[in-house]
């Protein structure tokens, strides 16, 4: 288990479309477990492989927020949204690749997702609430899309300029 560094926006690798995982190799399983460790360490409730610099279609999630409840770590290989509700919901989103920047994003309130799990078995589930927001946020990462891409150009540029400044300061530190 290894904590991997998370890429910070702006970074060209966060804007590329990730390649399908296809067969699930031991290397992909190690990556998935490293991503879960990295997500919990951040902390976050989701993480996509491009965020750790691997342009493959793999996301991990655990949106169980209640510290008393049983965690539900999920590994999704080649996830695809096969149904979206007409009903939408809004959420103040953040992103581990765009730290300390938040903005309201509106998305379908429920989505049905199909993927393959770590055993290679086909899974399908209907997600609502924070799980629905998170899985859509993560699958967007696989298509090179960030939550700031849903904002107006001025707000998006403001956040990007803040991140460029932050990266410059971190490089000097
Ligand atoms: O992909 C990521 O950057 C992980 C995000 C996933 C996420 C963003 C917005 C809404 C739901 C999920 C991180 O978990 S950001 C931290 C966070 C935690 C709880 C709620 C919102 C954001
Ligand atoms: Zn994100």
């Amino acid at each position: 288990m290894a904590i991997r560094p998370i890429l910070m926006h702006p970074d060209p690798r966060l804007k590329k479309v990730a390649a399908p995982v296809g067969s699930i190799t031991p290397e992909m399983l190690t990556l998935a477990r490293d991503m879960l460790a990295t997500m919990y360490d951040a902390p976050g409730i989701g993480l996509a492989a491009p965020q750790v610099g691997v342009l493959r279609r793999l996301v991990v999630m655990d949106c169980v927020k209640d510290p008393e409840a049983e965690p539900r770590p999920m590994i999704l290989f080649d996830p695809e949204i096969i149904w979206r509700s007409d009903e939408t919901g809004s959420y103040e989103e953040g992103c581990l690749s765009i730290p300390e920047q938040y903005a309201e994003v509106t998305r379908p309130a429920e989505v049905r997702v199909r993927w393959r799990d770590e055993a290679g078995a086909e899974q399908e589930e209907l997600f609502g609430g924070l799980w629905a927001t998170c899985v859509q946020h993560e699958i967007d990462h696989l298509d090179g899309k960030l939550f700031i891409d849903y904002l107006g150009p001025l707000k998006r540029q403001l956040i990007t300029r803040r991140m460029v400044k932050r990266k410059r300061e971190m490089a000097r530190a």
Side-chain angles (χ1 to χ4, degrees), residues 51 94-97 137-138 141:
Q51 292 182 275
C95 182
L96 295 176
S97 296
H137 178 111
E138 301 313 333
H141 271 300

Side-chain angles (χ1 to χ4, degrees), residues 6 39 42-48 51 60 62-63 65 91-98 102-103 107 130-135 137-138 141 147:
I6 295 175
M39 178 192 79
I45 57 173
L47 192 65
Q51 292 182 275
V60 298
D62 182 350
C63 302
K65 301 266 282 188
Y91 194 87
E92 185 81 359
E93 296 196 14
C95 182
L96 295 176
S97 296
I98 313 177
Y102 299 92
R107 298 179 187 269
L130 183 54
W131 286 91
T133 299
C134 184
V135 75
H137 178 111
E138 301 313 333
H141 271 300
F147 81 91

Side-chain angles (χ1 to χ4, degrees), residues 2 14 43 47 75 78 87 94 102 138 142 151 153 159-160:
L14 292 172
L47 192 65
I75 296 173
D78 295 324
E87 186 204 354
Y102 299 92
E138 301 313 333
L142 303 183
L151 309 181
I159 290 176
T160 299

Side-chain angles (χ1 to χ4, degrees), residues 49-66:
Q51 292 182 275
V52 292
V54 179
L55 292 180
R56 303 295 290 275
R57 302 186 76 80
L58 161 57
V59 307
V60 298
M61 291 195 296
D62 182 350
C63 302
V64 175
K65 301 266 282 188
D66 173 1

Side-chain angles (χ1 to χ4, degrees), residues 40-149:
Y40 285 122
D41 175 70
I45 57 173
L47 192 65
Q51 292 182 275
V52 292
V54 179
L55 292 180
R56 303 295 290 275
R57 302 186 76 80
L58 161 57
V59 307
V60 298
M61 291 195 296
D62 182 350
C63 302
V64 175
K65 301 266 282 188
D66 173 1
E68 301 299 309
E70 194 63 25
R72 190 192 173 194
M74 295 190 76
I75 296 173
L76 294 82
F77 291 107
D78 295 324
E80 47 184 332
I81 296 172
I82 58 174
W83 177 82
R84 291 174 173 81
S85 62
D86 292 335
E87 186 204 354
T88 62
S90 297
Y91 194 87
E92 185 81 359
E93 296 196 14
C95 182
L96 295 176
S97 296
I98 313 177
E100 293 161 36
Q101 309 300 316
Y102 299 92
E104 185 166 295
V105 178
T106 301
R107 298 179 187 269
E110 287 190 311
V111 286
R112 179 170 290 280
V113 180
R114 183 181 296 150
W115 72 94
R116 274 175 300 113
D117 65 17
E118 52 273 38
E122 183 105 359
Q123 300 292 342
E124 197 175 297
E125 186 165 332
L126 179 65
F127 291 104
L130 183 54
W131 286 91
T133 299
C134 184
V135 75
Q136 292 177 84
H137 178 111
E138 301 313 333
I139 292 175
D140 271 353
H141 271 300
L142 303 183
D143 294 326
K145 200 168 172 81
L146 302 172
F147 81 91
I148 57 172
D149 295 331

Side-chain angles (χ1 to χ4, degrees), residues 9-10 159-169:
H9 170 73
I159 290 176
T160 299
R161 278 202 205 99
R162 283 186 195 144
M163 289 303 298
V164 168
K165 184 167 176 286
R166 181 191 178 105
K167 286 180 84 166
R168 230 190 348 252
E169 284 160 1

